[in-house]
Amino acid sequence: FLQVLNVSLWEAPLSYGLRSCVKPTRKYANVSPSDRYITVKSNGGLNQMRTGIADMVVVARIMNATLVVPQLDRSSFWQDSSTFSDIFDEVHFIEFLKQDVNIVKALPGELESQPRARKHFTSWSGLGYYKEMNDLWKEYRVIHVAKSDSRLANNDLPLDIQRLRCRALYQALRFSPSIENLGKKLVERLYSRSEKYIALHLRYEKDMLSFTGCTNGLTDAEAEELRVMREKTSHWKIKNINSTEQRLSGLCPLTPKEVGIFLEALGYPRSTLIYIASGKIYGETHLRELTSRFPNVVFKEMLATEEELGTFSNHASRSAALDYVVSVESDVFMPSHDGNMARVVEGHRRFLGHRKTITPDRKGLVRLFDKLEAGIILDASSLPRYVKQLHRNRVGAPRRRGSSPLGIRGRARLRLEESFYQNPFPECICRSE
């Protein structure tokens, strides 16, 4: 019984012989040098930039252009001044993709002062759209892309293009040696404490709660502080949010207390080692609502020395990269809310063999929690049965990428499709012979 329980809690779902079929070697010859150049201004946080850069690799190939190593976002909420080579292994990125796309570190000097076509490529565009963009080369030798995220459609692209996206994201965009080395040390130190660990992407930071308008479990003073923050943040367009409606619609991150109840219901023992992959948790008391149930909770600051973390201080993207490494290598990954990191880590773990990833059904869970509190579920001992039934198909087992909801037409359906980078199956994952 204990062996069966252990497998159900920790082991990856059966993948029935599925494996990554994206190989470093390609059947086609090296691309020819091109005197057309694409420069890119990546936008967003770490994983939004990573998926955007992968898209731009593909766009450069479609348009037969040389890609200049992208500039990273320094002006968003994260205010991170890191360059591409601070976060990624630039030499590996260029060398790994040399058979797919010509990539250079900078524009040739003679092109620096020449006029550029400045484009906001349409989101979720297909092959035909970018082939039409080739007309720009008649007047320009350089195209500057102002935003990189979601520039390619999730579906209906040729197989070689989809597999290039996987090579770019999962293999070429390797983190810099300093990040990779410390990330591996953190993983080793976790395994020195326990045979297995959960990486919990606990989205309970101040900005996340303020942006979503979620105040369940907060004090009146905390809720007011978040409201003021939302009101003062000009680029957050929605100011008045009904927290109760948000929560019942499944749009709020699970609270630390709810995460604790959820993991207990799934059967994880009190001694489970949990690595918190996120920023500073909001409020002084809320984390204790998790640690009272699972006291073996650690952050990167508890695993690494101040000296080791020195170059990561005040660099949110570098810090997030450490969390990414630890999350991908974990026995179980669980995000408490949707987001770019949650989606990309899930996709990476699928690519590596459908490692166990628990995606909470937040809408279903809050209804269960409310019923428990109201006495509709007679006692907490019956909660595990409901929770396990609700999540029997939400633990990372192989499945085809989801399409848009029924009834959605036009370009809106493209935005609502499951992200290619969240689930690169079937294009990048094949059945073993």
Side-chain angles (χ1 to χ4, degrees), residues 316-368:
S317 292
R318 296 187 211 180
S319 182
L322 283 179
D323 286 338
Y324 186 94
V325 172
V326 177
S327 296
V328 168
E329 294 300 323
S330 65
D331 297 279
V332 175
F333 173 68
M334 192 190 97
S336 66
H337 193 258
D338 295 330
N340 289 306
M341 178 165 169
R343 288 190 287 269
V344 179
V345 170
E346 179 183 350
H348 200 158
R349 289 170 68 84
R350 288 183 179 279
F351 181 79
L352 294 173
H354 296 279
R355 296 177 178 178
K356 186 160 188 175
T357 300
I358 302 172
T359 51
D361 181 344
R362 297 189 305 278
K363 188 174 181 179
L365 281 174
V366 296
R367 281 167 168 74
L368 284 179

Side-chain angles (χ1 to χ4, degrees), residues 170-185:
Y170 304 128
Q171 297 172 326
L173 272 176
R174 188 166 67 189
F175 291 121
S176 66
S178 61
I179 292 173
E180 287 284 338
N181 292 338
L182 183 54
K184 289 175 182 177
K185 286 181 181 178

